Amino acid sequence: MTQLKSILLVEDNPDDEALTLRALRRNNLKNEIIVARNGQEALDVLSEIAVLPCVVLLDLKLPKIPGLEVLRRIRAHERWRVLPVVLLTSSKEERDIAEGYGLGANSYVCKPVDFQQFTTAVSQLGLYWAVINEPAP
Amino acid sequence: MLMHAKSTLGMLENPPKSALSLAIVRALTVVSPNTPLLDAIALMTSSAGYSDDFKRSETCDPNHVWVADKEHILGVLTVGKVVHLSANPAALPQLSLPQVLVPPLAILSESALLDGDPPADFWRSPPTVPIAVVDEQRHLVGMITRDSVLTAIAATLADPPTAPNSSSPPAPIPTQDETSSPRSPLSVLNVEAMFDTLLAGYWDWDIPTNQAYLSPGFKQMFGYADHELPNVPETWQNLIFPEDLPKVKASFEHHVASHGSEPFDHEVRYRHKNGATIWVNCVGEVVAWDAQGQPLRMIGCHIDITQQKQAELEMRQTKEELENFFTVALDLLCIADTQGYFRRVNRTWETILGYLPADLEGQSFLAFVHPDDVEETQAAIAQLSNQERVQSFVNRYRCRDGSYRYIEWYSQPQGDLIYAAARDITEQRQLEMKLRRREAHLKTAQRIAGLGSWEYDLPTGQITWSDEVFEILGRDPALGAPNYAELLTIYHPEDQAYHDLVVQEAIRTQQPYDLDLRAYHPDGTLVYLQARGEPIFNATGELVQLVGILLDITERKRAEAQLLQTSAQLAASNDELEAFAYSVSHDLRAPLRAIEGFSQALLEDYGDQFDDSGRKYFDRIGHNVGRMNDLISDLLALSRVSRSAMTGTSVNLSHLVSAEIAELQTIHPDRQVELVVPPQVIAWGDATLLSLVISNLVQNAWKFTQHHPTARIELGQCDRGEQPTYFIRDDGAGFDMAHADMLFGVFQRLHNMTEFPGTGVGLATVKRIIQRHGGNVWATGAVEQGATIYFSLPVTSGTGMSPGGQHHHDSA
């Protein structure tokens, strides 16, 4: 059995963090969930980690380094270039979506306000990227 | 006559005293030289009235007024002279007596005359005017005139004085000599030569025998020597113009019939030896009658009046010419008096003003002057009365048809008369006024537009400015326009070289130019200018001029700056709005999610500890979170409507309405809704935004008709003027028109949530979109009778829509 890759959650809001973690746990995912609470921290985690996470759940609105900038740096980094990044954000702004994809996001997911929808969305995300998706070698 | 005078000198040795003394008229009118001319003339014509200055006897000859001061004789005023002067009566009051009197051509001392000892050269020039006769002290004692000589001859013949060298009895018929010509009794008396000279030729006719004596002077007048013509009546009858002969005969018969009281006096023509015409004034008198009153003998004299006749003829011709000139002149000519009456006008008055001369002559000319011009005209008349000429005076004259014409006058006063030439300048005046109006128009236009015009004459370097250029550049018009070098210095130092470059380039390439520049007024005010110039070529294609305009664009520049500033501010506030919306989108939702999330978590994890009532509270929390979320979404949508870019295109509203209804019908299949949509309702605008408008309006219509069993939703177009106007009408709940204003406000609702759900943002969004298109939106309705929402969309050409919010990627 291959070692389970971690999930990197980049989220500055502790409430959202708690709700996201709760949703991810709902599926009994065993993957380690690393939480970075701002953009810089996210980049630091990536630099230090031995095995890259299976997915980065990246919020856009982050202290220090904003989400899109984090994404840009990830894509600019040779090792992280193909790392799956899902933008998980409250924003439905078209231009955020467009720019997110433009910078190479693998997916763009709006956090639903409705708890059920939110839980479903996040748990499916976790399941998909941690289990179903075959990561790049 | 000179020859004749010489040849007769010898005959004057002993002139008969009595005969000559009879010819002297001693009763004279004598005035001092400072007597007014008119008074002197009056003395000739009136028998009464003389002052102390005048010596006058009742027997005075009325044809002569002598002028003398104490010392000497100055001259004589003759009737002939007065007649001559009276041709121009207006001048008379200005003339003084010495100016017009005839100087005495001959002054003879009485003693010399009576002694037969006048100066030798006296007889050389026969006097044509009266001869003054003076005494030893050279005081005037009398005069000799033609009439007086004739009278003297008549008297002498009637009662001949005893001649010192002849004892012959007075003979009515002189003795015949070998020449068979009758001899004049005067020649016997030895005074013939003198009388011949004084009278310039005389004749003597014995009627019963029909014998005639013609003096040498008589024959000399027609170019013949004495011996060349026989002394017979046929002689003069052959010389006289045949057509004038009856005149002589008639005059004679008249004289005889009146027994001498009617003078024998006529003017006839004789043929000179050289063929010339000699005009003669023939004066004669029957000096002897028989008992039956038949004439026996007649004497008379000839005066050569050819020159006088010639002068008369010339004068008549001149007068005719003047008359013709007066008649045919294209100018208005008139003679008027200073009392203000027309005396004479020419025919041009008829062609120009429509009046016949008879309509005007004798009329007051002020009566024809425009009422507004009367005062000035009177001033002009006053000037003329002061004998000052008036030039280029213009007033308006009323035509016969009642219209007025502008007349320009050149008037010359002369005494009480005004000689005037005038010209109709109405058209010229109208042109002038038109031109002046245009000029004023142009000036005003230039002033209002802040636009000046100029010319730059290349060969001379002369620059011409319109008034407004001075105004724009703040230059004193008294300084005149500058030359080119000075002009450059008026401009902003940074613009001088560029201006020069552009102008030189325009001259070189012969192309128009257009440049913006700056200038400082003398008071330091900075003005922005637009200068345009165009080359002007002469007939041979040479560039001779630049003409152009100068426009003050300071205001525009200010407005541009203002606009830039406003745009920047707008952009900044747009950015802020965007940041705000972004923040709302993120930050308002996060706590909601937390509330919802944790209340659900609470319910999931500890649900069994809540009873039904507790669980209902959780439902309420969830419901409110949902509503809050809707509000946030709608607000964001509204803000997007304000910020999104717009592209103008043709939008088919019919399709949009139908599609929206179809979708709603799918969701609510049980609703009975009648749809009234004309096939091609087309609007111009941004497709996305207009579809949002339709979707909002149709959803509203759908919503507010939901409590009715059947409903009707209608799309229509009802253009108001140029503005295409559309409406969506329903027959639903409607609204009270008193609240119509609230309808389009954000979060404004006229119904409560339980009746009709909604956030109150839909119509606000519609309004925002329509306003961004430059249109208007309004509503009509009544409670339970439906509502109609109207919106207008101005026609815009092309894709030019007002700029929408721009997307900035400066925050995340």
Side-chain angles (χ1 to χ4, degrees):
Chain A
M1 185 178 171
T2 51
Q3 194 199 337
L4 283 178
K5 287 186 174 178
S6 61
I7 293 173
L8 175 58
L9 174 65
V10 190
E11 176 62 72
D12 65 323
N13 184 328
D15 291 339
D16 274 0
E17 179 194 329
L19 292 171
T20 307
L21 290 177
R22 183 186 162 92
L24 288 174
R25 294 287 172 235
R26 169 92 27 133
N27 290 336
N28 298 316
L29 282 176
K30 297 286 185 273
N31 303 55
E32 183 194 2
I33 297 171
I34 307 166
V35 178
R37 291 184 177 81
N38 62 53
Q40 184 59 56
E41 206 179 312
L43 294 174
D44 291 347
V45 168
L46 288 177
S47 308
E48 288 158 13
I49 202 165
V51 181
L52 287 177
C54 64
V55 68
V56 179
L57 301 176
L58 181 62
D59 194 6
L60 285 183
K61 203 157 176 274
L62 290 171
K64 295 191 180 170
I65 302 176
L68 287 174
E69 175 60 20
V70 173
L71 174 59
R72 200 183 62 73
R73 292 195 193 178
I74 289 172
R75 290 290 174 252
H77 196 280
E78 201 193 339
R79 189 172 157 233
W80 311 333
R81 209 162 32 87
V82 292
L83 180 62
V85 176
V86 173
L87 296 175
L88 184 63
T89 173
S90 307
S91 169
K92 282 183 181 172
E93 293 290 308
E94 248 176 65
R95 61 156 216 210
D96 283 342
I97 299 169
E99 203 164 347
Y101 282 117
L103 287 173
N106 297 70
S107 185
Y108 190 105
V109 177
C110 282
K111 295 175 189 167
V113 170
D114 181 84
F115 182 70
Q116 292 304 336
Q117 292 172 20
F118 179 81
T119 305
T120 310
V122 173
S123 63
Q124 283 178 359
L125 266 183
L127 195 63
Y128 176 82
W129 289 106
V131 180
I132 300 170
N133 185 49
E134 192 64 48
Chain B
M1 289 304 269
L2 278 177
M3 293 280 288
H4 169 72
K6 272 179 187 168
S7 68
T8 56
L9 267 178
M11 300 172 76
L12 294 170
E13 282 163 10
N14 294 298
K17 274 189 181 179
S18 55
L20 268 181
S21 72
L22 281 177
I24 297 174
V25 179
R26 293 179 185 276
L28 300 180
T29 304
V30 183
V31 300
S32 72
N34 50 14
T35 305
L37 175 61
L38 290 176
D39 290 348
I41 293 171
L43 280 176
M44 286 178 164
T45 53
S46 75
S47 57
Y50 47 89
S51 72
D52 297 343
D53 283 350
F54 310 139
K55 279 198 289 176
R56 183 187 167 99
S57 91
E58 283 175 28
T59 57
C60 281
D61 181 316
N63 296 325
H64 300 87
V65 172
W66 287 87
V67 182
D69 60 17
K70 281 170 191 165
E71 297 306 318
H72 53 279
I73 303 155
L74 295 171
V76 64
L77 179 65
T78 62
V79 166
K81 185 71 183 178
V82 171
V83 168
H84 181 69
L85 288 174
S86 62
N88 186 5
L92 287 178
Q94 272 77 56
L95 295 171
S96 70
L97 203 46
Q99 282 176 296
V100 300
L101 56 80
V102 181
L105 290 180
I107 299 175
L108 287 180
S109 91
E110 186 181 11
S111 56
L113 193 64
L114 297 183
D115 294 347
D117 191 22
D121 60 350
F122 167 73
W123 302 111
R124 286 171 189 264
S125 15
T128 55
V129 291
I131 298 163
V133 179
V134 295
D135 62 12
E136 312 285 314
Q137 284 76 45
R138 295 195 66 77
H139 285 148
L140 186 66
V141 294
M143 66 176 172
I144 297 173
T145 68
R146 196 185 63 182
D147 288 346
S148 74
V149 172
L150 268 181
T151 308
I153 293 171
T156 307
L157 293 169
D159 183 21
T162 306
N165 59 348
S166 169
S167 57
S168 327
I173 313 299
T175 50
Q176 300 282 309
D177 64 10
E178 64 285 356
T179 65
S180 82
S181 294
R183 295 285 300 168
S184 163
L186 288 178
S187 63
V188 177
L189 295 174
N190 266 352
V191 293
E192 180 184 80
M194 189 183 290
F195 283 127
D196 214 6
T197 302
L198 287 171
L199 296 175
Y202 73 95
W203 49 266
D204 186 343
W205 181 31
D206 185 66
I207 297 168
T209 61
N210 195 26
Q211 290 194 3
Y213 172 74
L214 306 174
S215 78
F218 181 107
K219 297 169 186 172
Q220 179 73 26
M221 190 179 287
F222 307 124
Y224 297 93
D226 189 22
H227 66 270
E228 286 183 272
L229 294 175
N231 286 329
V232 291
E234 288 73 21
T235 295
W236 66 266
Q237 282 164 7
N238 290 336
L239 289 175
I240 196 169
F241 275 40
E243 57 267 40
D244 287 355
L245 199 51
K247 213 196 271 185
V248 179
K249 287 183 172 160
S251 182
F252 172 71
E253 280 158 15
H254 222 62
H255 182 65
V256 170
S258 66
H259 203 72
S261 64
E262 292 285 332
F264 177 81
D265 187 342
H266 50 259
E267 292 175 353
V268 289
R269 288 163 295 174
Y270 280 81
R271 184 68 66 195
H272 191 273
K273 192 180 179 185
N274 67 10
T277 301
I278 304 294
W279 272 96
V280 162
N281 176 204
C282 178
V283 180
E285 195 177 349
V286 172
V287 293
W289 306 83
D290 65 11
Q292 285 74 44
Q294 289 303 310
L296 293 173
R297 187 177 180 190
M298 190 170 183
I299 61 164
C301 68
H302 274 183
I303 309 275
D304 184 349
I305 55 166
T306 307
Q307 278 190 344
Q308 188 187 328
K309 278 286 171 188
Q310 195 65 37
E312 267 175 32
L313 185 70
E314 278 169 15
M315 201 164 144
R316 197 159 53 236
Q317 279 171 350
T318 307
K319 209 180 161 199
E320 262 170 37
E321 280 168 11
L322 283 175
E323 191 67 31
N324 284 342
F325 183 71
F326 189 78
T327 310
V328 304
L330 293 175
D331 283 348
L332 298 160
L333 300 181
C334 79
I335 302 170
D337 57 37
T338 49
Q339 311 304 307
Y341 294 95
F342 284 115
R343 292 280 183 91
R344 271 201 74 187
V345 302
N346 67 349
R347 303 294 292 206
T348 311
W349 287 80
E350 188 185 349
T351 33
I352 292 179
L353 296 176
Y355 297 108
L356 293 170
D359 297 334
L360 298 174
E361 284 164 7
Q363 301 295 312
S364 159
F365 52 76
L366 277 177
F368 298 88
V369 171
H370 190 284
D372 293 350
D373 296 343
V374 165
E375 205 170 307
E376 284 178 36
T377 306
Q378 281 170 331
I381 296 170
Q383 195 179 333
L384 289 163
S385 299
N386 291 331
Q387 302 302 309
E388 290 168 37
R389 65 164 57 195
V390 167
Q391 294 194 80
S392 308
F393 172 72
V394 176
N395 59 12
R396 282 163 290 177
Y397 260 69
R398 192 180 61 248
C399 299
R400 176 169 280 251
D401 65 10
S403 62
Y404 282 91
R405 301 203 70 86
Y406 283 92
I407 308 290
E408 185 179 46
W409 294 92
Y410 289 83
S411 306
Q412 174 72 48
Q414 199 144 67
D416 285 341
L417 293 181
I418 302 166
Y419 295 86
R423 192 161 287 191
D424 177 11
I425 57 158
T426 309
E427 261 144 53
Q428 183 188 338
R429 186 49 79 100
Q430 279 164 350
L431 265 178
E432 271 172 23
M433 277 162 75
K434 203 165 153 187
L435 203 64
R436 217 173 296 149
R437 265 204 303 276
R438 264 200 194 161
E439 212 175 279
H441 205 81
L442 187 66
K443 218 164 150 175
T444 309
Q446 289 207 352
R447 181 174 55 72
I448 292 172
L451 181 143
S453 54
W454 52 264
E455 284 176 15
Y456 176 26
D457 193 53
L458 295 171
T460 64
Q462 175 93 35
I463 292 177
T464 313
W465 282 2
S466 77
D467 292 355
E468 192 56 26
V469 176
F470 287 96
E471 185 65 30
I472 291 171
L473 292 175
R475 184 178 171 92
D476 182 0
L479 293 174
N483 59 30
Y484 184 72
E486 193 188 349
L487 174 69
L488 286 180
T489 65
I490 290 175
Y491 294 128
H492 191 288
E494 289 171 18
D495 295 345
Q496 290 171 6
Y498 183 58
H499 177 275
D500 190 35
L501 186 76
V502 168
V503 170
Q504 300 309 333
E505 189 70 4
I507 293 170
R508 197 178 62 75
T509 62
Q510 312 201 333
Q511 292 296 316
Y513 69 85
D514 183 348
L515 83 160
D516 287 2
L517 35 73
R518 293 161 294 170
Y520 283 111
H521 280 192
D523 66 4
T525 312
L526 179 67
V527 288
Y528 287 84
L529 309 165
Q530 181 183 20
R532 287 188 186 188
E534 262 184 33
I536 301 290
F537 306 93
N538 65 10
T540 57
E542 233 178 314
L543 177 62
V544 288
Q545 248 190 355
L546 291 179
V547 283
I549 57 111
L550 190 69
L551 184 62
D552 186 342
I553 55 167
T554 310
E555 278 306 311
R556 197 179 84 194
K557 285 283 180 188
R558 259 183 216 137
E560 278 175 11
Q562 188 85 40
L563 195 65
L564 278 178
Q565 199 183 342
T566 310
S567 298
Q569 284 170 349
L570 199 64
S573 67
N574 248 335
D575 287 348
E576 271 173 37
L577 183 66
E578 193 133 337
F580 171 74
Y582 199 75
S583 154
V584 165
S585 176
H586 274 88
D587 300 345
L588 291 190
R589 279 207 175 104
L592 274 185
R593 204 161 39 243
I595 294 166
E596 163 79 357
F598 289 113
S599 58
Q600 284 302 316
L602 197 59
L603 203 57
E604 277 176 21
D605 296 353
Y606 307 96
D608 50 349
Q609 297 185 26
F610 295 106
D611 58 10
D612 283 354
S613 161
R615 276 192 288 276
K616 272 182 187 158
Y617 293 159
F618 280 109
D619 287 348
R620 292 208 169 187
I621 293 172
H623 175 76
N624 278 291
V625 166
R627 178 158 170 75
M628 183 73 183
N629 193 40
D630 288 347
L631 284 171
I632 292 170
S633 295
D634 282 356
L635 266 187
L636 283 174
L638 178 62
S639 96
R640 256 198 301 278
V641 157
S642 307
R643 293 176 288 133
S644 71
M646 283 169 61
T647 310
T649 180
S650 170
V651 179
N652 189 325
L653 300 184
S654 305
H655 287 174
L656 290 177
V657 171
S658 302
E660 188 70 33
I661 293 282
E663 200 178 321
L664 289 164
Q665 191 73 71
T666 315
I667 301 167
H668 309 278
D670 50 336
R671 288 280 309 272
Q672 299 287 318
V673 177
E674 182 198 352
L675 185 60
V676 182
V677 178
Q680 291 288 326
V681 179
I682 308 294
W684 185 269
D686 182 83
T688 311
L689 292 178
L690 287 188
S691 100
L692 197 53
V693 166
I694 293 300
S695 143
N696 265 298
L697 294 180
V698 171
Q699 282 178 29
N700 270 353
W702 187 271
K703 181 165 69 183
F704 290 111
T705 51
Q706 66 187 349
H707 299 315
H708 293 192
T710 61
R712 187 172 183 276
I713 296 174
E714 180 186 356
L715 166 73
Q717 183 168 0
C718 56
D719 295 351
R720 313 179 73 187
E722 302 261 306
Q723 193 111 308
T725 302
Y726 311 90
F727 63 85
I728 301 276
R729 178 175 295 150
D730 65 62
D731 56 356
F735 61 95
D736 184 345
M737 278 301 278
H739 305 129
D741 287 348
M742 293 169 61
L743 230 46
F744 297 96
V746 181
F747 297 136
Q748 297 288 348
R749 305 194 71 250
L750 298 183
H751 304 276
N752 53 41
M753 284 299 290
T754 52
E755 264 186 306
F756 300 103
T759 54
V761 180
L763 283 180
T765 305
V766 168
K767 184 181 180 186
R768 189 71 58 86
I769 292 172
I770 298 302
Q771 281 181 340
R772 278 199 66 193
H773 281 80
N776 271 316
V777 60
W778 65 99
T780 61
V783 174
E784 282 308 316
Q785 288 178 27
T788 307
I789 312 295
Y790 296 90
F791 59 97
S792 62
L793 290 169
V795 185
T796 11
S797 57
T799 56
M801 305 289 298
S802 57
Q806 297 129 358
H807 291 265
H808 295 283
H809 305 287
D810 52 0
S811 60

